[in-house]
Amino acid sequence: EFSQDQLTLLNYILDAYNKHRIPQDMAKQLLQEKFSEEENFLLLTEMATSHVQVLVEFTKNIPGFQALDHEDQIALLKGSAVEAMFLRSAQVFTRKRPHGHTDVLEDRIRKSGISEEYITPMFNFYKSIGELQMMQEEHALLTAITILSPDRAYVRDQAAVERLQEAVLEVLRKFCRLRHPREPQHFARLLGRLTELRTLNHHHAEMLLSWRTS
Amino acid sequence: PASNLGLEDIIRKALMGNFED
């Protein structure tokens, strides 16, 4: 069972995850009919910026994060922003959406000047996330775990970050055992997505470069 | 607009205050 502290940690992270979202009007813009490569580019850039702000607001609510060294907080956020963005956008693509919406989103991304080489791994990742049928708690906890990665560049006090990540990992492990009793591999499969995210992170840097030049 | 700021600038600004204000 969860200890009282673990329950508090879970609810704290879940509330923050539900509270801090991309503004509704911006999300709606994505579904408009207007399509031009420039508009898609601008909209996706604006979405990415808004997502970083939402990510920071979420992260500030992770118990213990604001007690970390200030520069380490920045190193963690900078190192995880792209992965957290892919994880969150995966949720958009896997949640039961009115049929048309996901195609509009996918079409918009495919027609925004991003080369196919980067789009395919992105949608493969969304598919593999979809197969896990993750609950909201799992998305929130996995996002926190991604951010609290002690091995990000420029992090100095790795032990302090590891202690925080360990606490969240333990909550996720218990949550999976409680809510997926017939799937002993579920927790391991969730963590497997984190390694997939790291390759997307690498792709993303190259993609931005090629996107800017084109 | 915020989208011209670099990633680190956006993070620093958001960490300091509530960015939405």
Side-chain angles (χ1 to χ4, degrees):
Chain A
E1 285 312 315
F2 286 118
S3 70
Q4 188 44 48
D5 289 348
Q6 287 176 324
L7 216 53
T8 315
L9 181 61
L10 171 60
N11 291 324
Y12 223 75
I13 290 177
L14 186 60
D15 290 346
Y17 190 78
N18 291 331
K19 182 164 171 261
H20 297 291
R21 298 167 167 278
I22 288 188
Q24 202 49 23
D25 51 7
M26 186 178 285
K28 280 205 183 73
Q29 266 183 324
L30 265 176
L31 302 175
Q32 277 169 357
E33 281 324 310
K34 286 215 298 293
F35 266 116
S36 80
E37 205 164 281
E38 291 67 33
E39 261 150 12
N40 285 343
F41 177 83
L42 282 174
L43 194 59
L44 289 174
T45 310
E46 222 177 87
M47 291 279 286
T49 306
S50 167
H51 184 274
V52 172
Q53 295 156 358
V54 162
L55 180 70
V56 173
E57 293 308 319
F58 164 71
T59 307
K60 281 156 86 169
N61 286 283
I62 298 176
F65 181 82
Q66 297 214 22
L68 293 171
D69 167 80
H70 188 67
E71 287 309 308
D72 279 358
Q73 289 180 34
I74 291 167
L76 289 174
L77 283 160
K78 230 182 123 178
S80 64
V82 168
E83 289 173 30
M85 183 169 69
F86 276 121
L87 199 51
R88 192 131 210 191
S89 54
Q91 200 178 12
V92 171
F93 275 93
T94 51
R95 199 179 296 149
K96 299 285 167 302
R97 292 209 152 268
H99 189 61
H101 284 189
T102 327
D103 312 337
V104 172
L105 290 176
E106 188 164 339
D107 221 24
R108 189 179 286 277
I109 289 177
R110 288 191 188 281
K111 291 201 181 95
S112 55
I114 302 173
S115 88
E116 194 52 37
E117 182 193 351
Y118 304 115
I119 288 181
T120 312
M122 192 189 326
F123 284 106
N124 290 343
F125 175 69
Y126 293 157
K127 200 165 144 301
S128 73
I129 284 283
E131 280 151 12
L132 290 177
Q133 313 233 308
M134 289 166 60
M135 298 181 186
Q136 189 75 349
E137 292 87 344
E138 290 167 35
H139 271 285
L141 292 169
L142 206 57
T143 303
I145 290 163
T146 306
I147 295 161
L148 296 170
S149 302
D151 57 347
R152 295 297 185 199
Y154 311 116
V155 171
R156 289 180 294 218
D157 187 350
Q158 295 194 332
V161 177
E162 204 159 353
R163 274 193 300 277
L164 290 183
Q165 189 188 50
E166 205 49 54
V168 184
L169 277 164
E170 188 50 24
V171 171
L172 180 60
R173 200 174 58 78
K174 278 192 179 178
F175 184 88
C176 290
R177 242 197 2 242
L178 279 168
R179 304 299 285 272
H180 301 270
R182 281 181 303 284
E183 295 167 80
Q185 288 309 325
H186 189 76
F187 177 63
R189 291 176 70 200
L190 286 179
L191 297 188
R193 297 288 83 77
L194 296 186
T195 40
E196 203 176 338
L197 262 177
R198 296 237 169 180
T199 52
L200 280 179
N201 199 5
H202 177 64
H203 279 154
H204 188 265
E206 285 166 24
M207 180 196 77
L208 277 185
L209 216 59
S210 77
W211 205 6
R212 280 208 187 94
T213 42
S214 74
Chain B
S3 49
N4 288 348
L5 293 172
L7 177 60
E8 187 164 327
D9 303 317
I10 298 170
I11 290 171
R12 281 188 190 278
K13 265 172 80 75
L15 262 178
M16 271 182 306
N18 188 323
F19 204 90
E20 278 97 15
D21 297 356

